[in-house]
Amino acid sequence: MALKTYRGNCHCAAFVFEATVPEITKAVLCNCSHCYKKGTVWAMIPDTENFTMVKGDLGKAKDYRFARKNFGSKFCPTCGTALLFIGRPQGSEKEHMGVNVGTPAMPLLSNMHGLVPDIWNMDTNTYDGASLGAPYETPVYTGPLPTKEVEDGKVYTGSCHCGNVRVCLRSKPLDHSFESPAYECNCSTCIRHGGTTIWPHKDQVVIQGSEHLSTYASGMLKAWEKAFCSQCGVFVVRRPLPIPDEVAVHIPAAAREWTVDAQHLLPLNLKLLDGVDISQLKITHIDGYDVIPPPYVNP
Ligand SMILES: [Zn+2]
Ligand SMILES: [Zn+2]
Ligand SMILES: [Zn+2]
């Protein structure tokens, strides 16, 4: 079978890797608690010997383990990009490895949107990771309620995967009746962390354990920093960074709504919340890959 070389990297380019493998045409969607919260879809690398680091020492990536702890989920501690998982399943002679399909700098799957996978129309196989090991124990939120009242509001709680960061949200019910869209974006940062966000007022949200958040800002404006759990890498919120007035006046009208006018908002990753069926919400796909300048250049 003809081999193909694939190259991928985290957003800040601390880690760049290559794998030479038979052509990958399908990704793997795992239904375990970790892959759900991280929003990662995997491209399987059949033989770890065919995988090399071009830049960065994989030993310096953060290695998160849970349940039986036989798999390490590696992510960049600087930008939070999920890189890959590696480990030996029980009873297996061979290590299994999968890379995050959101990282590729070269076409990885046959279904592409420019140079990135068409994440909303991807061929996937489902892997039943949820049935392995003990069931996930949901961390319990113990902080105060959000201060902002919401008419007919409901209180939701949730957490990152390791539980160091826990959140509470007061919101209109997050079901088919929820009017505002939930957003998924394929820009260079969002495609690497696979979040689904809603944009509540910041006083509708309380974050417990925010000292465990790491932050990363990118793009021309650096208007929204991405905050993720430093222990497990799950994307939690985007936080507005102050935009100096002299910069704000030059922001085109079309972009103001998302930058200057949105400074009181706190976009929250719905995948943290317990008891929310995201498939019931209206999901709006943002084609950030094409519309958010400047284009990201893969290292
Ligand atoms: Zn990075
Ligand atoms: Zn999984
Ligand atoms: Zn965590």
Side-chain angles (χ1 to χ4, degrees), residues 29-36 40 42 66 127-130:
L29 189 61
C30 171
N31 65 3
C32 82
S33 53
H34 166 266
C35 296
Y36 171 75
T40 33
W42 306 105
F66 58 99
Y127 179 73
D128 186 16

Side-chain angles (χ1 to χ4, degrees), residues 162-226:
C162 74
N164 279 354
V165 182
R166 304 176 188 202
V167 296
C168 185
L169 166 77
R170 195 198 306 271
S171 163
K172 296 266 189 201
L174 294 168
D175 55 28
H176 58 274
S177 68
F178 191 67
E179 293 289 329
S180 316
Y183 294 100
E184 291 178 358
C185 172
N186 65 0
C187 81
S188 58
T189 51
C190 292
I191 200 171
R192 286 173 164 80
H193 65 56
T196 305
T197 51
I198 53 167
W199 289 52
H201 189 284
K202 60 179 168 41
D203 296 337
Q204 284 174 259
V205 182
V206 184
I207 298 177
Q208 192 180 22
S210 56
E211 68 275 20
H212 296 288
L213 290 173
S214 292
T215 57
Y216 177 70
S218 63
M220 191 166 53
L221 287 173
K222 299 207 181 339
W224 295 93
E225 65 178 10
K226 165 188 159 180

Side-chain angles (χ1 to χ4, degrees), residues 45-49 70-71 86-97:
I45 305 299
D47 209 327
T48 52
E49 282 173 17
N70 49 343
F71 282 97
I86 184 165
R88 215 180 291 270
Q90 267 188 337
S92 169
E93 297 282 291
K94 225 176 124 178
E95 280 198 306
H96 286 205
M97 178 190 255

Side-chain angles (χ1 to χ4, degrees), residues 49-69:
E49 282 173 17
N50 298 328
F51 175 92
T52 48
M53 291 305 293
V54 176
K55 187 178 164 219
D57 171 2
L58 202 52
K60 295 216 167 84
K62 184 82 188 166
D63 181 90
Y64 175 64
R65 285 165 193 265
F66 58 99
R68 289 174 181 160
K69 299 194 165 48

